[in-house]
Amino acid sequence: MRTLNMLVGVLFVVAGIVMIAGFNGITFLSVAFVIGLLFMVAGILGCMSYKSNREDSVDSTWVVVDGATTFVLGFLIISNKLASDAAVPLVLGLWIAITGIRNLTRALEKIDVKDSYFYGHLIIGIVNVVAGLYMFFNNDLFMLPVGVLVGVCILVHGLNIFMVAITILVSKSGFIMNKEEMLEQAAEEVEKAHEAAKEAIKVLKEAKATVEVIKETPEEELDAALAPKPTAEGQEGTGTEGEEE
């Protein structure tokens, strides 16, 4: 799956470069079917990468969202729903900008770790947002032709596909693992089990504490004990009443 995603990423980058260079006066309409088909293939591979993505449910969800969005956009292109030269850069720009925001969100989720995936999502997210927003201000800036704008969007999305490919886990069959690799895999599984056990113990302790509180609380005060804590004003009022009594 990783190899297929990287291959599609290369195709996107090449297609983007060709569109930007404008070989033989290439226009969007002349290659719309090929681009739409490429988008649909990339979307299907993105959705199929859900199970192969790193064991992070948030990352996997973003991969599915990106894949589904790419597939729908490819379907619209093939269906000739984006035939207007004025609409194409705006739709693709909005799509790229949203994808960039998703990457930035994924980067913020890993800001405490600040590993290679954090910086990868951060850089690609910024590139996506800048490229996407530029589509809306092209007429006020460099007045680039539609073919070049489409090429930029395709090229940038190729980088997104590469990022998805990098996050795909490559699982090695046990039949071809050596002893060191087996030990490393077993150690990772032990670490994951240990973390899960620690979390389970924490939840168990909290549940036991709640049970003890309920047992020690008189029945007539039980509802009040489980009710939300009063505000500062309410606490002051209760204290005053207690002193008066």
Side-chain angles (χ1 to χ4, degrees):
M1 189 59 68
R2 171 183 279 188
T3 303
L4 287 175
N5 275 275
M6 286 188 171
L7 178 60
V8 172
V10 170
L11 292 177
F12 265 83
V13 171
V14 172
I17 294 174
V18 170
M19 291 292 293
I20 293 172
F23 295 143
N24 298 323
I26 294 177
T27 62
F28 174 74
L29 293 179
S30 63
V31 294
F33 180 82
V34 176
I35 292 176
L37 186 62
L38 192 60
F39 274 44
M40 292 182 70
V41 171
I44 292 173
L45 287 178
C47 293
M48 291 174 63
S49 300
Y50 176 82
K51 294 295 184 181
S52 303
N53 197 249
R54 294 192 176 275
E55 297 178 4
D56 186 327
S57 59
V58 177
D59 271 357
S60 298
T61 301
W62 282 121
V63 169
V64 173
V65 171
D66 287 339
T69 306
T70 304
F71 178 85
V72 171
L73 186 57
F75 176 77
L76 293 175
I77 294 174
I78 287 182
S79 302
N80 201 30
K81 300 301 182 182
L82 299 177
S84 172
D85 284 348
V88 171
L90 298 180
V91 173
L92 293 181
L94 181 61
W95 168 62
I96 288 295
I98 293 175
T99 303
I101 293 173
R102 291 171 184 163
N103 277 288
L104 291 176
T105 303
R106 291 154 79 177
L108 291 176
E109 290 166 353
K110 301 176 182 294
I111 193 169
D112 295 333
V113 181
K114 290 187 178 178
D115 54 7
S116 57
Y117 300 106
F118 164 76
Y119 290 107
H121 286 304
L122 179 65
I123 294 172
I124 293 178
I126 293 173
V127 172
N128 274 257
V129 171
V130 172
L133 291 178
Y134 175 82
M135 302 299 153
F136 293 88
F137 299 97
N138 179 57
N139 292 333
D140 301 322
L141 297 173
F142 300 108
M143 297 286 292
L144 298 176
V146 174
V148 174
L149 297 178
V150 173
V152 170
C153 292
I154 295 175
L155 176 61
V156 169
H157 190 61
L159 300 178
N160 292 322
I161 297 176
F162 268 113
M163 193 63 205
V164 172
I166 291 173
T167 59
I168 291 177
L169 284 172
V170 179
S171 56
K172 199 172 185 180
S173 174
F175 292 104
I176 59 176
M177 283 184 180
N178 56 36
K179 184 176 181 179
E180 289 74 15
E181 291 173 332
M182 289 182 178
L183 286 173
E184 184 179 353
Q185 183 179 14
E188 291 178 357
E189 292 176 356
V190 169
E191 184 64 25
K192 291 176 183 177
H194 182 62
E195 292 296 328
K198 286 170 60 179
E199 185 64 26
I201 291 173
K202 179 181 177 182
V203 174
L204 178 62
K205 288 182 177 179
E206 292 176 352
K208 285 184 176 180
T210 302
V211 171
E212 291 301 325
V213 169
I214 295 175
K215 285 182 178 180
E216 295 175 2
T217 303
E219 185 173 354
E220 61 274 9
E221 299 178 7
L222 191 58
D223 293 338
L226 297 179
K229 295 182 179 180
T231 60
E233 295 180 358
Q235 290 177 345
E236 293 176 359
T238 303
T240 304
E241 292 176 1
E243 292 176 359
E244 291 177 356
E245 291 177 1

